[in-house]
Amino acid sequence: MATERIGIIGGTGWLGGGLAQALLDTGFIPADQLIVSNRSGNHPLANTGARVLADNQALVEASDVVILSVRPEQFKALNIQAAGKRVISLMAGVTSQAISAATGASVIVRAMPNAAIEIRQSFTPWHCAQTLGSVEVAFIQGLLECVGTASRVPTEDGIDYLSALSGTGPAFPALLMTALTRQAVIAGIPEDVARQAAKGVVVSASQLLANHDPQGMIDALVAYKGVTAAGLQSLIEAGFEEQIGRAVQAGADIARKGM
Ligand SMILES: NC(=O)c1ccc[n+]([C@@H]2O[C@H](COP(=O)([O-])OP(=O)(O)OC[C@H]3O[C@@H](n4cnc5c(N)ncnc54)[C@H](OP(=O)(O)O)[C@@H]3O)[C@@H](O)[C@H]2O)c1
């Protein structure tokens, strides 16, 4: 159990709230070491024994580690001084330099979870430009692993790129699922069956990939020279991989430009 007092600004939102609950449920910290804030200072998290505040500066002063989980456009209004505190930002498109300039903090971690925090299956890459000791690295890894898996990446640009990849969470699978459903309906399949079939592929069958190498899976299916091979070949020849590359770069460009 960590001994640090953790404050989450925006700790009642989608990501912040999910993280706060996970820190308590996994026993990473006891409730009396957790403070969350939002603009009203009210939230059911208060029933767990955690403190819920509306005063962000009071949260900073009572915390050893400050997690920023407001939306990027809400960041400027926070107006906090966090010199001497360790800051972990979950915000997309806000640079470490901007966070340091606005808060006075010198140790900034940028972590990029995704919406699967809700089911504790987020992959969360993180970056810190400062040199960290092994205890500090273990603390950050442990904190982020309360909501899934995590890995340190060597550059901040890597966080901007990964914001558009793993940070998008269920977005690409959702697009694939709706495309498969709509196209099946156009092909004459009843809508309820089309939905089940698409879900069966995107949500159920894809779980095989947890323990199978994806390229090996593609090679094996192409080798059958059958129905699946024809579909895969059609996508590959249409430039599927290049299109995916362009899609992720489009998102990464937004993250790099800042929000
Ligand atoms: N959602 C995702 O899939 C995802 C993925 C990767 C990264 N992120 C990043 O995660 C961050 C949070 O996103 P989210 O989806 O969790 O947003 P959200 O659900 O809107 O949460 C934002 C939280 O900030 C609080 N808040 C707003 N202004 C505040 C202020 N001045 N002082 C204190 N609290 C304030 C809000 O509470 P009140 O409105 O009650 O004040 C709310 O609890 C964003 O920066 C985003 O870039 C999100």
Side-chain angles (χ1 to χ4, degrees):
M1 195 172 269
T3 53
E4 285 85 348
R5 296 163 303 162
I6 300 177
I8 309 179
I9 299 182
T12 62
W14 191 356
L15 253 62
L19 178 60
Q21 196 61 56
L23 294 179
L24 298 178
D25 292 348
T26 58
F28 189 76
I29 50 164
D32 62 5
Q33 282 171 222
L34 178 67
I35 311 168
V36 299
S37 70
N38 61 17
R39 285 168 290 194
S40 66
N42 294 313
H43 193 268
L45 264 172
N47 300 330
T48 64
R51 287 169 69 194
V52 181
L53 303 178
D55 182 339
N56 293 317
Q57 191 59 41
L59 175 147
V60 171
E61 278 155 26
S63 305
D64 302 305
V65 177
V66 176
I67 299 176
L68 300 173
S69 192
V70 296
R71 295 187 186 193
E73 66 273 18
Q74 296 167 332
F75 173 60
K76 280 204 183 91
L78 293 186
N79 197 19
I80 47 165
Q81 278 311 307
K85 305 289 178 177
R86 286 170 288 163
V87 170
I88 301 176
S89 166
L90 309 185
M91 296 181 294
V94 184
T95 64
S96 299
Q97 199 182 15
I99 295 165
S100 182
T103 65
S106 50
V107 179
I108 312 280
V109 172
R110 279 192 64 198
M112 193 49 55
N114 64 46
I117 265 193
E118 198 177 305
I119 52 168
R120 300 189 190 157
Q121 299 236 23
S122 169
F123 167 63
T124 308
W126 62 276
H127 170 74
C128 181
Q130 288 76 40
T131 304
L132 298 174
S134 57
V135 172
E136 188 65 13
V137 170
F139 171 82
I140 295 163
Q141 271 290 131
L143 184 146
L144 297 174
E145 284 172 359
C146 291
V147 289
T149 56
S151 195
R152 188 176 187 178
V153 297
T155 65
E156 187 162 352
D157 187 65
I159 293 296
D160 289 331
Y161 184 85
L162 291 166
S163 302
L165 199 170
S166 47
T168 62
F172 292 132
L175 190 64
L176 177 60
M177 209 160 132
T178 54
L180 289 170
T181 305
R182 283 195 200 121
Q183 290 298 312
V185 170
I186 288 169
I189 305 294
E191 190 168 340
D192 59 329
V193 178
R195 280 186 202 288
Q196 272 182 291
K199 190 173 179 182
V201 167
V202 178
V203 181
S204 306
S206 65
Q207 290 184 35
L208 277 173
L209 296 173
N211 297 309
H212 284 78
D213 169 54
Q215 188 60 55
M217 181 74 83
I218 292 167
D219 293 345
L221 292 168
V222 166
Y224 276 97
K225 297 188 174 21
V227 175
T228 309
L232 288 172
Q233 211 62 48
S234 167
L235 275 177
I236 292 164
E237 281 165 16
F240 179 74
E241 188 169 323
E242 293 75 11
Q243 188 57 46
I244 289 291
R246 282 193 290 275
V248 178
Q249 283 294 359
D253 286 348
I254 297 292
R256 290 181 183 119
K257 215 162 56 184
M259 288 183 272

